[in-house]
Amino acid sequence: MDFTSASHGASATGMETYKQDLRTNVFEKLRNALNDINDIKTAVSQGWVGTAADNFIANVITGANTLKDNVNVIEDSINQELDGAISQVYDMDENLVELD
């Protein structure tokens, strides 16, 4: 039997890299997009003035902040699930072969 190319288990470094990639490529981009309301402000200011326009922009900002909070909750939930999955793989690997 040749076991030289066999592998089993999990890589903590690989999982951390995956989680960091998710943060950088998904969650941070989403939060940045929610922060960028300049196009909305420009469009509103070009055709709408007064308290209603100000209130509208304030509501957009409040809504964006609520969405960012929800993104944070989702990110935390995904990270917890990933941590749980890697923990299960570690447990399986640890108990794969027992000592006699």
Side-chain angles (χ1 to χ4, degrees):
M1 291 185 152
D2 180 13
F3 290 102
T4 57
S5 63
S7 68
H8 181 78
S11 165
T13 303
M15 182 58 78
E16 288 306 313
T17 299
Y18 179 72
K19 288 166 45 177
Q20 182 60 41
D21 287 348
L22 273 177
R23 173 176 296 246
T24 303
N25 296 319
V26 177
F27 298 114
E28 286 182 7
K29 284 183 180 180
L30 184 52
R31 282 187 285 266
N32 289 339
L34 290 168
N35 281 330
D36 186 10
I37 62 164
N38 289 329
D39 289 342
I40 296 170
K41 284 183 178 180
T42 300
V44 168
S45 68
Q46 287 176 349
W48 195 5
V49 294
T51 303
D54 294 339
N55 289 345
F56 178 80
I57 294 298
N59 287 340
V60 167
I61 293 168
T62 299
N65 288 334
T66 299
L67 288 172
K68 285 186 291 187
D69 290 343
N70 290 335
V71 168
N72 293 338
V73 169
I74 291 167
E75 181 181 13
D76 290 343
S77 295
I78 288 173
N79 283 332
Q80 287 176 3
E81 289 295 323
L82 291 172
D83 290 343
I86 197 74
S87 178
Q88 288 178 348
V89 171
Y90 288 152
D91 289 345
M92 285 188 305
D93 183 61
E94 187 173 320
N95 296 313
L96 185 63
V97 177
E98 295 182 8
L99 292 175
D100 289 331

